[in-house]
């Protein structure tokens, strides 16, 4: 707890040291260096212009909350980066037997963490996303590739059991793949 008899200069130095260390611990490597330098200058200005003990504490609180918001924003962007990479992996490998663990290993993050942020950002789990993506691709193939039969298309989108593919397709789209092809 801060002592009301503390020397204001000592208090200033302590708060400035604490602020810089918190800033470094939370944001270094997460935001561009020029943004980090700019934040440091803003914090130092706020702390330098405080004239009372209460003003100094208020300046510190304001800078701490600003840093916290920057940190949260960085975390969201980082999560989105992983989701973009995971979705790109699905687009590139949807016809293969892929798992969340495969993707997590490829983008160097923990599969549990990837599962959590995927569900949070996409509103569905990874397997639901993969299934929906495969079915969308199958719909495109059924519309545009008359030379392939349903069995071939099921393999092209990662389902090697065409009966299972037909069941999943019917559940999601509402009609059988062969009926879908006839409609389009």
């Amino acid at each position: 707890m801060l002592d009301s008899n503390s020397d204001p200069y000592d208090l200033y130095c302590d708060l400035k040291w604490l602020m810089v260390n918190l800033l470094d611990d939370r944001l270094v490597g997460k935001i561009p260096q020029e943004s980090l330098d700019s934040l440091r200058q803003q914090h130092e200005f706020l702390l330098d212009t405080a004239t009372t003990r209460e003003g100094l504490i208020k300046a510190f609180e304001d800078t701490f909350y600003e840093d916290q918001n920057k940190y949260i924003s960085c975390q969201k962007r980082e999560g989105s980066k992983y989701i973009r990479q995971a979705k790109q992996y699905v687009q590139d490998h949807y016809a293969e037997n892929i798992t969340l663990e495969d993707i997590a290993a490829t983008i160097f993050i923990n599969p549990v963490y990837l599962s959590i942020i995927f569900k949070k950002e996409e509103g569905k789990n990874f397997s639901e996303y993969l299934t929906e993506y495969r079915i969308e691709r199958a719909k495109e193939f059924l519309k545009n590739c008359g030379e392939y039969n349903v069995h071939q298309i099921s393999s092209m989108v990662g389902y090697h059991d065409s009966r299972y593919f037909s069941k999943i397709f019917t559940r999601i789209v509402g009609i059988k793949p062969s009926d879908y092809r006839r409609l389009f």
Side-chain angles (χ1 to χ4, degrees), residues 11 15 20 22 29 56 58 69 74 77 86 93 97 100-101 117 121 126 134 139 142-143 154 159 168 176:
L11 182 60
L15 283 174
V20 168
L22 282 172
L56 200 53
K58 174 88 170 91
N69 289 336
C74 291
R77 278 196 307 274
H93 302 275
N97 184 20
L100 184 72
E101 288 76 15
I117 63 173
E121 289 193 30
F126 171 75
R134 286 175 167 170
K139 287 166 58 176
L142 288 166
K143 282 191 235 179
S154 71
Y159 292 99
I168 296 296
K176 294 179 183 179

Side-chain angles (χ1 to χ4, degrees), residues 87-109:
K87 289 168 114 179
Q88 184 62 53
Y89 188 92
V90 168
Q91 289 172 15
D92 296 341
H93 302 275
Y94 67 90
E96 301 168 19
N97 184 20
I98 58 175
T99 66
L100 184 72
E101 288 76 15
D102 296 332
I103 295 171
T106 301
I107 60 178
F108 306 107
I109 66 169

Side-chain angles (χ1 to χ4, degrees), residues 73-91:
S73 173
C74 291
Q75 290 296 97
K76 286 180 182 175
R77 278 196 307 274
E78 188 169 288
S80 293
K81 175 185 82 171
Y82 291 133
I83 299 308
R84 280 191 309 277
Q85 290 174 327
K87 289 168 114 179
Q88 184 62 53
Y89 188 92
V90 168
Q91 289 172 15

Side-chain angles (χ1 to χ4, degrees), residues 153-164:
I153 290 174
S154 71
S155 290
M156 291 166 57
V157 297
Y159 292 99
H160 300 291
D161 179 347
S162 60
R163 285 184 296 169
Y164 180 69

Side-chain angles (χ1 to χ4, degrees), residues 29-48:
K30 303 259 193 247
I31 64 173
Q33 186 62 43
E34 64 186 34
S35 297
L36 187 61
D37 293 341
S38 174
L39 274 176
R40 281 189 184 132
Q41 289 174 351
Q42 290 172 16
H43 296 333
E44 287 180 20
F45 175 77
L46 283 171
L47 293 172
D48 287 343

Side-chain angles (χ1 to χ4, degrees), residues 106-152:
T106 301
I107 60 178
F108 306 107
I109 66 169
N110 183 296
V112 174
Y113 176 65
L114 178 58
S115 176
I116 290 167
I117 63 173
F118 201 97
K119 175 77 173 179
K120 184 177 179 181
E121 289 193 30
E122 293 299 311
K124 60 185 90 167
N125 66 36
F126 171 75
S127 62
E128 290 171 321
Y129 175 81
L130 177 61
T131 299
E132 288 175 11
Y133 186 84
R134 286 175 167 170
I135 296 302
E136 285 304 311
R137 295 295 295 152
K139 287 166 58 176
E140 291 174 27
F141 289 137
L142 288 166
K143 282 191 235 179
N144 303 318
C145 300
E147 68 272 15
Y148 298 113
N149 64 36
V150 172
H151 176 74
Q152 291 169 315

